Amino acid sequence: MISFDFEYFKPKTIQETIHLFHSLVTKKKTPLYYSGGTEIITLGRLNLVYTDAVIDINALPEYHTIRFSEGYLVIGAGVSLTKVEEENPFPLLSKTVSEIADRTARNKISLGGNICGDIFYREAVLPLLISDSLLGIAEIDGLHYYPINKVFNREIQLQKGDFLFNILIDQTYLDLPFVSMKRRQQWNVGYPLVTICALKKDEEVRMAFSGVCPFPFRSVEMEDVFNDKSYSLEDRVRRSLQYLPKPVLNDVEGSSEYRIFVLQHTILDALQKLEGGPNV
Amino acid sequence: MSNPITLNINGKKRQITVRPAATLLDTLRLRLGLTGSKPGCLNGDCGACTVLMDGVPMKSCLMLAVEGEGKEITTIEGLINTPIQKAFIEKFAFQCGYCTPGFLMNCHALVYTEPNASDERIKDWLESNICRCTGYREIEEAVISVLNTVKGTH
Amino acid sequence: MEYIGKSVIRKEAFEKVTGKAKYTNDFQETGTLHAKMLISPYAHANIASIDFSEAWKIPGVKAILGDEPFPLVGEEIKDRSPIAYKRVRYHGEPVAVVVAEDPITAKKAVDAIKVSYESLPVVNSPREAFQENAVLVHENLDRYEKREGVYPVPKTNIANLDKIRKGNMEDGFRESDVVAEFQISFNPSDHAAMETRCSIAEIRADGEVIITTSSQAPFAIKKLMEWYFGIEPGKVIVKTPLVGGAYGGKAAVQLEVIAYLASKAVAGQPVKLFNSREEDMITSPVHIGLDASIKLGATKDGFLKAAEIQFLFDGGAYSDKGVDISRAGAVDCTGPYAIDHIWCDSYCMYTNHPYASAYRGYSHAEVLFAFERTMDVLAEKLNMDPLELRYKNAIRPGDTTPTQVLLSSSTVGNVPKCIERLKELMNWAEGQRMEIDDRKIRAKGISCIWKTSTFDTNATSGVILTFNPDGSINLMSGVVEIGTGTKTVLAQILAERMKMDISKIHVKMLVDTQTTPEHWKTVGSRGTLMGGRAVLNAADEAIRKLKEVASCVLRVPVEELEVADGKVYFLDNPNVFVEIKDIAYGYTFPNGNTIGGQIIASGNYTLTRMTHLDRETGKGKPGPEWAVGAQGIEVELDKRDYTYRIIKAYSVVDIGTVLNEKAARGQVMGAMSMGIAFGGRETFVFDPYGRVLNPQLRTYRPLHYGEQPEYIIEFIETPHIIAPYGARGGGEHGLLGMPAALGNCLSAALGVQLKHLPLIPELLWRAQEGWKDDIV
């Protein structure tokens, strides 16, 4: 039950959407784009999010489609996580999103919503961070594509009024060897202590993390250590930790020291799997 | 602030005005008298409010009523004499009954969407709902018994 | 026997699978106003000021309650203001309540209330509360009104102390060769019933108070409304429809009082108060926490001689049920073992945590975690198999309990037999710990269980039967249908006694205290014993009345008649009969003469020869019988990262007689599931300021589908002679040993004695890798 009131708009084109946003701002409104909407509803209920104008972008053409085009996999940001799982165009992405929330919730949560959300795990971004994907950002003068590492740093870096419209992944990344692992406090449900996504491209491992810090990240420094085969796997894991961003999460799911313990094993498992060691 | 909308619920069109901020769950319960969908957490965590939108399970506390326009909405009140309801009774798959409408909607969608669901698939679907009374084995038995009959008819 | 033991489908089954079943919040009468609470963000603070002015400006606000001295409430000690006044003592405590035309307006107004708090130092654990010079949660404990038999200690945080003194401790430890000492603790947690609590109150023009509520104790509300507000019990009518899970949490009376005050503030209009999940978890009463120290003495061949026990229950900010829960913990302070020398001090401590309500098992799972963990510590010291140690000491007929009740086979069942059967089922002989490979360990752990229920000594249960013109019977009992299926079991008992078709028994699910006879409270697995005996008494009266009418009609003496299959017939010639439908409303002769009228029968049952406990020694008879059992858990643990999977969970319960096979298994299995979650994952996480960091089902996670182990459940049937068909209580027992068995199992796997709950991998890692116990 959301106690504040808002106007509701459902524009049909990107241009209309962006103009609507800016005109609402001019009218001193606080508009929010609404994709899956799950965060707006749950955080709004607790007064942790406020809006007086909801712009539902689900009527935009192509916002819910998955297609291939010119060597790229193109996924609309409005595609639900379950659709990503079921159509399975990018197994690493499917596997990763299949561990987010629960299936019924994933019918509603959109890929873009998970990436742009306030809840800081944003696990759906991990596969994108390591696959040189491009993010299609709807801006006032149209759709522009940016390499993900330019527009996503811990969280998405958007100008006011812009929104994530689609995601492009170079098809050559789709069937690379990968690992996606999620470790929780206990058993099968809950937020991650550690989520790791890793790919092997040109014999080099790339890895991105969620749950370790209050933001998802990919660390080139850590990857350099992982790929330095002059050290044993265990040593690489240990040495990589000095490049961990700060702070390491310390919360109800687990302490920071325990997270690091779990992280080490998870990285080790991931590296072993990608380097053809014993399966885990 | 309220918008007129038309919702197609259990095969009937209902015209109402709603606050855009009203969730589908509150609209079903408070405006349409359909109290079978239960509020358990209002946070998308328990599944007691699950309904079907075009046959797909959705937590009605996680969506606005205005989002329901143009969709076929099925609530527990629209589930009549289905195999899963019978199986829930036979297998003692509920006790207090509060999570039951949500579980039934999800299970019903499961057996029709994935008639060959493996144990792993069943788990993937049913993780979405919490039952505090049973040990889940009864629910598992009910779902499997229906899957077996559905398979048997093909 | 036709219905006893059969898996009769529950009477409300069709309602529940069609969404038609109505719970309190599903009742929506026009004209009902809605209340919403403002709750405290602090665990301990003075309310410096509170400003309602902005809230009053919102159209549709009818009343705002708060900042006024309401009568104090509390089940044994009146120490709680229903809405905080000047001071808050726990995170989540109601600070103000808005009544408005609709829930949205109420919430808007709540958001507009401004409160300024001055925070106070917090008491963040019962151990802290117990220290000398501890911060006091209640400075004026001596000024509170209280019931007899409860002993708060002024100028301390002790809400109550119950003592058990059996035998002589010096003798006990002198006779012991080996002593094992152990200390455990865990935080409060929650019931997490899927239906959050809801109450609707209205005050009629004639002063009658009507309360509709999701409660396990509708009849207790009447009595409490008299104690709290001086309202005559006859003027309070409590209605309870189906309840969406309770587990003890709905035995407490809280929202009812607030809804009543809210209704009073709007000239008696009906007011509905429905908990959000967050409120249900922390504002309303919770599952109690415990800090316990146990010292056991045994001979070198493993016979228990002495048990010295201290319990510090975390009763939270207000005593309410806590003082009775800690008393129940004293009553069964040991496991089900014969021990001659027992000393126990069981304290209910005030802390700045949410306050406690009953929780399935009523302190027994908590106490057993302490005691049964210590049993394994002792077994290790004795170098003895833990199952063998338990078998040797199993309490038997002829032994006495901690409160010195002499047991018989009827009152205690068969502990040794439960252990024997568990041993076979678990294949205990193959060993407790097996290395599967260089990482995986398979391990087993066990716990014995027992429980009696400590009711008021005059607790009563009544049943009314009315006949319909078709010969069918309406069954009215004050037992609340909270999911246990008890009302269906009562119908089975009635059908069995009347020898009639159970489809002709109509069970009234709704409890209405004005028309339904009292059942004390639907708690403590006593619905079947008490309600069942009341049914049998009522059935006997119905049979007598039917025979009286039939005797005139058939011209057969009453003693030569029998009732069965919808007929009353002559024993010597069954062809001489009259159908019940023809006499249920009296019998009309062909000429129009009529004798008798609608058959109405009633019966009740009061627990027999219960006594209060002696203040100094605890001696007394607290409950009618002990249901006992033995439980086990088998896990596969990864010793590298301390993750584990529960593979199998076992229960062998002496349930007396199984009345409804599937329902009984469902009760035990469901309780095991809750116990596994309590042992393995559920806890409130408090910050250093006493605030609960996880009051949502997203961060406080009950067991989900797919996390359940394989359940192996068997029943031993040692009849409780005075119970209907010999049945013992069984609604709670599946839970009782799960945390202890899990703790014993993981301790055996790791070779470390685990002391805390929940047993999450991080805790195992800390214990094993030598981290100090710094998890709050």
Side-chain angles (χ1 to χ4, degrees):
Chain A
M1 181 173 295
I2 301 170
S3 60
F4 52 82
D5 288 306
F6 51 72
E7 286 182 88
Y8 176 81
F9 303 93
K10 201 168 182 179
K12 300 273 192 311
T13 66
I14 291 180
Q15 200 185 17
E16 190 191 337
T17 303
I18 304 248
H19 282 126
L20 177 61
F21 188 98
H22 289 290
S23 76
L24 287 165
V25 170
T26 317
K27 290 183 207 155
K28 304 274 184 245
K29 295 271 188 186
T30 313
L32 276 185
Y33 291 124
Y34 186 99
S35 180
T38 57
E39 279 194 21
I40 293 177
I41 292 176
T42 55
L43 300 179
R45 180 178 74 86
L46 301 170
N47 298 325
L48 298 172
V49 157
Y50 174 78
T51 176
D52 49 14
V54 159
I55 304 173
D56 184 339
I57 49 179
N58 286 292
L60 301 181
E62 303 265 304
Y63 190 59
H64 290 108
T65 55
I66 299 179
R67 64 190 168 88
F68 287 93
S69 171
E70 296 171 21
Y72 283 98
L73 164 65
V74 183
I75 308 179
V79 168
S80 72
L81 299 184
T82 11
K83 185 168 172 174
V84 173
E85 284 172 73
E86 280 164 3
E87 296 204 7
N88 195 21
F90 183 13
L92 169 60
L93 184 63
S94 309
K95 172 74 170 45
T96 306
V97 301
S98 74
E99 294 292 331
I100 294 170
D102 59 61
R103 194 179 191 284
T104 308
R106 290 195 299 276
N107 287 334
K108 191 75 175 33
I109 300 170
S110 67
L111 183 60
N114 183 268
I115 292 168
C116 301
D118 280 347
I119 297 173
F120 56 58
Y121 299 104
R122 305 178 194 118
E123 290 157 280
V125 84
L126 303 183
L128 310 180
L129 287 174
I130 53 176
S131 58
D132 296 331
S133 60
L134 300 173
L135 298 189
I137 310 289
E139 299 175 6
I140 195 137
D141 57 347
L143 201 52
H144 295 268
Y145 291 93
Y146 299 95
I148 187 162
N149 295 311
K150 291 266 188 295
V151 282
F152 192 97
N153 178 14
R154 301 185 171 191
E155 59 189 342
I156 194 143
Q157 316 286 320
L158 292 175
Q159 299 300 311
K160 199 167 181 182
D162 296 353
F163 65 93
L164 175 63
F165 182 76
N166 61 11
I167 295 143
L168 272 63
I169 300 140
D170 184 328
Q171 271 180 267
T172 57
Y173 285 88
L174 303 184
D175 41 19
L176 293 176
F178 73 90
V179 179
S180 176
M181 293 173 174
K182 182 165 184 167
R183 300 282 181 258
R184 298 177 173 89
Q185 180 198 59
Q186 177 74 298
W187 302 324
N188 308 336
V189 294
Y191 287 127
L193 283 170
V194 172
T195 298
I196 283 185
C197 284
L199 273 180
K200 189 158 76 171
K201 178 162 170 60
D202 308 328
E203 292 308 303
E204 299 270 284
V205 168
R206 303 165 168 211
M207 205 178 283
F209 306 84
S210 169
V212 181
C213 301
F215 46 83
F217 66 92
R218 174 184 175 185
S219 161
V220 177
E221 293 89 345
M222 290 175 79
E223 284 174 10
D224 287 344
V225 180
F226 297 146
N227 290 311
D228 182 351
K229 297 201 174 136
S230 58
Y231 293 94
S232 71
L233 278 179
E234 287 78 6
D235 279 346
R236 281 182 253 164
V237 172
R238 207 171 305 119
R239 286 165 48 81
S240 74
L241 296 180
Q242 62 183 304
Y243 298 109
L244 264 187
K246 299 276 178 303
V248 172
L249 277 171
N250 186 17
D251 62 15
V252 295
E253 301 298 337
S255 66
S256 49
E257 55 267 38
Y258 180 65
R259 273 191 158 88
I260 290 172
F261 169 79
V262 174
L263 176 67
Q264 291 182 65
H265 288 303
T266 317
I267 297 175
L268 190 65
D269 289 345
L271 291 176
Q272 275 174 347
K273 198 166 172 204
L274 288 176
E275 298 198 356
N279 276 332
V280 287
Chain B
M1 227 180 272
S2 57
N3 293 19
I5 57 168
T6 303
L7 295 178
N8 181 350
I9 302 174
N10 301 328
K12 285 190 198 123
K13 293 215 163 138
R14 309 280 295 260
Q15 287 188 327
I16 45 167
T17 54
V18 293
R19 293 168 69 227
T23 61
L24 179 63
L25 174 65
D26 280 344
T27 305
L28 291 172
R29 291 178 55 82
L30 304 172
R31 300 296 308 286
L32 299 169
L34 297 169
T35 56
S37 307
K38 298 297 182 220
C41 65
L42 305 181
N43 204 49
D45 302 331
C46 78
C49 67
T50 304
V51 300
L52 305 185
M53 307 287 290
D54 294 335
V56 177
M58 289 284 181
K59 294 177 177 181
S60 62
C61 75
L62 279 190
M63 64 190 305
L64 302 174
V66 291
E67 290 183 85
E69 277 209 292
K71 305 260 201 298
E72 275 183 34
I73 303 171
T74 313
T75 69
I76 184 67
E77 288 87 352
L79 221 58
I80 294 158
N81 285 327
T82 62
I84 195 68
Q85 286 166 297
K86 288 179 196 149
F88 262 56
I89 292 177
E90 279 159 20
K91 302 295 179 187
F92 280 58
F94 55 90
Q95 292 176 22
C96 83
Y98 198 82
C99 73
T100 312
F103 252 110
L104 281 169
M105 298 317 288
N106 199 13
C107 292
H108 181 73
L110 164 62
V111 298
Y112 281 93
T113 313
E114 298 195 24
N116 294 306
S118 62
D119 287 353
E120 202 48 41
R121 294 300 298 152
I122 297 173
K123 178 170 106 52
D124 187 46
W125 279 68
L126 300 192
E127 236 172 37
S128 308
N129 301 63
I130 301 175
C131 169
R132 190 62 158 165
C133 292
T134 71
Y136 292 117
R137 288 289 171 199
E138 304 93 326
I139 294 171
E140 181 180 17
E141 281 177 27
V143 169
I144 289 173
S145 75
V146 175
L147 285 174
N148 288 340
T149 16
V150 175
K151 276 179 213 161
T153 58
H154 286 290
Chain C
M1 292 209 281
E2 210 177 334
Y3 288 112
I4 298 304
K6 298 281 162 54
S7 297
V8 172
I9 299 294
R10 44 170 77 236
K11 285 282 185 181
E12 78 289 10
F14 290 92
E15 294 292 290
K16 285 183 173 171
V17 297
T18 52
K20 289 180 181 155
K22 283 236 190 310
Y23 302 81
T24 300
N25 189 35
D26 297 334
F27 291 88
Q28 302 176 40
E29 254 180 69
T30 12
T32 301
L33 300 174
H34 296 266
K36 183 80 193 149
M37 295 183 278
L38 172 69
I39 61 173
S40 170
Y42 289 91
H44 201 188
N46 287 320
I47 301 174
S49 68
I50 184 160
D51 178 1
F52 297 142
S53 55
E54 290 301 314
W56 271 119
K57 288 181 190 161
I58 293 168
V61 171
K62 300 289 180 184
I64 303 179
L65 293 84
D67 197 26
E68 55 182 306
F70 291 110
L72 295 180
V73 299
E75 293 220 1
E76 303 215 12
I77 305 168
K78 287 186 182 174
D79 56 10
R80 182 176 102 245
S81 179
I83 300 165
Y85 181 59
K86 305 278 187 209
R87 170 120 165 239
V88 289
R89 295 184 174 86
Y90 71 95
H91 175 208
E93 183 165 357
V95 170
V97 175
V98 174
V99 184
E101 277 170 0
D102 57 72
I104 298 285
T105 307
K107 188 163 185 279
K108 282 182 182 173
V110 161
D111 293 341
I113 295 173
K114 295 187 189 74
V115 190
S116 114
Y117 299 92
E118 289 161 358
S119 69
L120 295 168
V122 297
V123 180
N124 215 357
S125 75
R127 182 63 62 188
E128 232 177 275
F130 198 63
Q131 303 308 311
E132 273 185 50
N133 306 320
V135 170
L136 293 182
V137 180
H138 295 265
E139 289 81 4
N140 301 315
L141 207 40
D142 48 337
R143 291 194 212 152
Y144 294 138
E145 189 186 348
K146 62 186 182 64
R147 296 211 193 265
E148 273 177 45
V150 57
Y151 312 106
V153 183
K155 305 296 166 205
T156 74
N157 287 314
I158 299 168
N160 196 28
L161 165 61
D162 278 288
K163 298 183 221 172
I164 299 294
R165 303 287 184 267
K166 176 185 169 187
N168 177 305
M169 296 314 290
E170 279 182 26
D171 292 351
F173 284 111
R174 195 168 47 244
E175 292 163 21
S176 302
D177 304 308
V178 176
V179 170
E181 288 185 75
F182 201 60
Q183 194 180 339
I184 63 94
S185 70
F186 50 84
N187 279 343
S189 51
D190 197 46
H191 310 82
M194 294 318 298
E195 178 206 23
T196 58
R197 297 160 177 95
C198 183
S199 297
I200 307 164
E202 96 177 86
I203 306 165
R204 295 217 172 129
D206 59 6
E208 275 186 351
V209 178
I210 321 283
I211 297 174
T212 305
T213 183
S214 51
S215 172
Q216 292 172 266
F219 296 92
I221 293 168
K222 288 178 24 166
K223 296 169 207 167
L224 289 173
M225 290 298 280
E226 181 178 37
W227 200 43
Y228 297 163
F229 303 107
I231 307 169
E232 301 157 52
K235 288 202 151 183
V236 178
I237 299 166
V238 183
K239 298 176 185 179
T240 296
L242 295 171
V243 171
Y247 324 108
K250 289 173 182 163
V253 177
Q254 182 200 33
L255 295 194
E256 295 85 351
V257 169
I258 298 175
Y260 162 73
L261 292 171
S263 173
K264 205 172 160 189
V266 290
Q269 278 194 80
V271 175
K272 181 191 270 189
L273 177 57
F274 172 65
N275 268 352
S276 69
R277 174 57 61 186
E278 291 82 356
E279 289 160 348
D280 208 59
M281 292 187 80
I282 60 170
T283 301
S284 286
V286 304
H287 170 201
I288 207 162
L290 176 67
D291 184 313
S293 309
I294 312 261
K295 184 176 168 188
L296 295 181
T299 61
K300 58 180 180 297
D301 45 0
F303 287 99
L304 287 170
K305 287 295 170 189
E308 188 182 299
I309 297 163
Q310 184 197 54
F311 295 137
L312 301 177
F313 280 96
D314 188 346
Y318 299 103
S319 59
D320 211 53
K321 299 297 302 171
V323 292
D324 194 57
I325 298 166
S326 59
R327 189 178 299 136
V331 160
D332 290 335
C333 60
T334 65
Y337 306 110
I339 309 173
D340 289 338
H341 309 286
I342 302 173
W343 182 100
C344 172
D345 275 354
S346 181
Y347 293 92
C348 180
M349 300 304 300
Y350 284 115
T351 65
N352 290 115
H353 288 166
Y355 69 98
S357 171
Y359 173 85
R360 200 174 197 172
Y362 213 59
S363 78
H364 286 65
E366 298 74 9
V367 161
L368 283 167
F369 178 69
F371 198 91
E372 288 291 278
R373 281 273 39 248
T374 314
M375 284 291 277
D376 267 33
V377 173
L378 177 67
E380 188 184 55
K381 277 200 153 187
L382 287 163
N383 200 17
M384 182 179 275
D385 181 303
L387 190 139
E388 183 60 29
L389 176 66
R390 287 172 171 83
Y391 189 80
K392 248 182 188 173
N393 291 286
I395 201 159
R396 290 168 161 84
D399 294 329
T400 62
T401 72
T403 68
Q404 304 179 50
V405 175
L406 180 64
L407 295 169
S408 66
S409 160
S410 171
T411 52
V412 76
N414 197 330
V415 182
K417 200 169 168 189
C418 292
I419 299 176
E420 284 166 18
R421 188 65 192 126
L422 183 73
K423 188 177 177 180
E424 293 163 9
L425 288 172
M426 291 184 78
N427 191 13
W428 190 257
E430 73 176 350
Q432 199 183 352
R433 184 182 187 280
M434 286 147 290
E435 306 252 354
I436 296 173
D437 55 36
D438 58 341
R439 272 175 62 177
K440 293 273 162 49
I441 302 168
R442 208 173 241 254
K444 300 171 187 177
I446 54 164
S447 171
C448 287
I449 58 170
W450 72 340
K451 181 179 187 286
T452 191
S453 33
T454 46
F455 280 15
D456 283 1
T457 56
N458 59 355
T460 186
S461 182
V463 160
I464 294 174
L465 305 176
T466 60
F467 280 71
N468 296 307
D470 60 354
S472 65
I473 306 178
N474 304 310
L475 191 168
M476 282 158 284
S477 153
V479 171
V480 179
E481 183 44 70
I482 54 176
T484 53
T486 308
K487 283 195 148 163
T488 303
V489 169
L490 295 183
Q492 286 178 261
I493 292 171
L494 182 61
E496 185 82 10
R497 177 57 66 103
M498 301 292 299
K499 300 192 179 102
M500 68 188 283
D501 183 346
I502 197 164
S503 69
K504 298 221 154 167
I505 293 172
H506 307 289
V507 179
K508 189 178 174 189
M509 288 295 161
L510 177 89
V511 169
D512 175 335
T513 61
Q514 197 174 33
T515 53
T516 318
E518 170 156 345
H519 176 74
W520 183 67
K521 293 177 186 180
T522 306
V523 298
S525 310
R526 284 286 171 252
T528 302
L529 169 65
M530 297 176 62
R533 282 291 301 270
V535 165
L536 291 175
N537 289 340
D540 287 346
E541 185 181 320
I543 289 168
R544 183 172 56 74
K545 288 183 167 172
L546 289 169
K547 284 181 180 174
E548 278 169 10
V549 181
S551 171
C552 294
V553 178
L554 302 174
R555 285 156 290 171
V556 174
V558 163
E559 16 342 317
E560 294 175 21
L561 289 171
E562 177 69 358
V563 176
D565 304 322
K567 296 173 190 144
V568 185
Y569 62 89
F570 178 31
L571 276 166
D572 256 2
N573 180 1
N575 290 326
V576 177
F577 70 88
V578 60
E579 290 197 53
I580 289 178
K581 71 177 171 60
D582 294 328
I583 57 174
Y585 266 55
Y587 182 79
T588 302
F589 288 91
N591 70 353
N593 292 169
T594 301
I595 50 163
Q598 183 190 14
I599 307 256
I600 299 171
S602 66
N604 64 21
Y605 179 73
T606 304
L607 291 175
T608 315
R609 292 181 69 86
M610 298 296 114
T611 66
H612 298 296
L613 303 179
D614 181 84
R615 186 177 172 183
E616 290 309 317
T617 64
K619 188 173 178 185
K621 183 162 186 207
E625 56 90 37
W626 279 258
V628 298
Q631 298 185 295
I633 278 184
E634 197 172 325
V635 305
E636 197 174 281
L637 175 100
D638 183 333
K639 65 183 176 186
R640 185 194 73 168
D641 58 19
Y642 302 96
T643 54
Y644 65 90
R645 207 160 54 87
I646 300 179
I647 297 164
K648 290 176 181 174
Y650 302 83
S651 283
V652 183
V653 188
D654 191 339
I655 199 166
T657 306
V658 177
L659 297 181
N660 183 320
E661 171 78 22
K662 282 190 184 169
R665 295 181 75 79
Q667 281 300 300
V668 173
M669 199 189 298
M672 290 167 77
S673 171
M674 250 180 123
I676 285 169
F678 165 32
R681 187 159 66 203
E682 291 183 25
T683 183
F684 282 139
V685 181
F686 293 97
D687 73 5
Y689 309 103
R691 293 176 300 201
V692 179
L693 298 177
N694 58 338
Q696 289 191 328
L697 295 177
R698 196 175 292 184
T699 42
Y700 181 106
R701 296 180 283 267
L703 222 60
H704 279 243
Y705 186 99
E707 297 179 320
Q708 72 275 23
E710 182 186 342
Y711 293 102
I712 296 106
I713 297 165
E714 284 209 9
F715 295 117
I716 303 291
E717 297 186 284
T718 312
H720 177 214
I721 295 167
I722 63 159
Y725 305 98
R728 292 175 195 278
E732 300 160 288
H733 296 73
L735 190 154
L736 304 182
M738 284 292 114
L742 183 60
N744 288 340
C745 178
L746 295 168
S747 296
L750 292 170
V752 174
Q753 299 296 356
L754 297 164
K755 300 177 173 183
H756 305 291
L757 294 175
L759 294 152
I760 54 173
E762 174 162 2
L763 184 122
L764 309 189
W765 171 74
R766 282 176 184 276
Q768 182 82 328
E769 312 227 337
W771 288 85
K772 63 186 191 303
D773 291 324
D774 55 357
I775 307 173
V776 178

